[in-house]
């Protein structure tokens, strides 16, 4: 009888581990810039995916490809992990007024994964 109870629990644990591996993760902060803030940090997704949107309480962020000039794009490709900041070829710019130390909740949308809510602290400029 114990074997029958243990098997479903093991199956649920395995499925939970699989789902956790497929979920995107992000460790990000915001750096104030002219007219808003730039997202900086690392986003990780399993396999290949694309970041298709970022929102804060102040509205939708712009996804930019900067090589050599910055242009707005509809998505940012991710192959496992992506580093974004003011020096990388892909950037995320939020408009609005941000204060150092402020905590901002962001919602990240990926093409092949569920929405991801993260908290970002506004760093010193």
């Amino acid at each position: 009888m114990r074997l029958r109870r243990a098997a479903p629990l093991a199956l649920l644990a395995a499925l939970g581990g699989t789902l956790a591996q497929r979920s995107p993760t992000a460790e990000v902060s915001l750096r104030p810039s002219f007219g808003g803030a730039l997202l900086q940090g690392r986003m990780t997704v399993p396999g290949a995916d694309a970041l298709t949107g970022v929102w804060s309480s102040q509205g939708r962020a712009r996804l930019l490809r900067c090589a050599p000039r910055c242009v707005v794009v509809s998505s940012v490709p991710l192959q496992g992990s992506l580093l974004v900041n003011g020096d990388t070829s892909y950037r995320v710019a939020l408009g609005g007024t941000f204060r150092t130390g402020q905590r901002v909740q962001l919602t990240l949308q990926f093409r092949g994964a569920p929405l991801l809510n993260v908290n970002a602290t506004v760093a010193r400029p």
Side-chain angles (χ1 to χ4, degrees), residues 23-96:
S23 298
T25 61
E27 294 180 22
V28 295
S29 63
L30 294 171
R31 187 185 62 162
S33 66
F34 181 76
L38 281 175
L39 188 71
Q40 55 187 19
R42 180 174 303 276
M43 292 173 267
T44 306
V45 296
D49 205 339
L51 178 67
T52 57
V54 176
W55 288 267
S56 74
S57 61
Q58 299 195 22
R60 185 179 177 135
R62 293 186 186 258
L63 305 176
L64 304 169
R65 182 175 45 88
C66 300
R69 300 176 91 184
C70 293
V71 295
V72 176
V73 294
S74 61
S75 65
V76 174
L78 281 96
Q79 183 65 32
S81 181
L82 175 69
L83 181 66
V84 292
N85 62 41
D87 298 324
T88 58
S89 58
Y90 286 101
R91 301 175 192 173
V92 178
L94 288 93

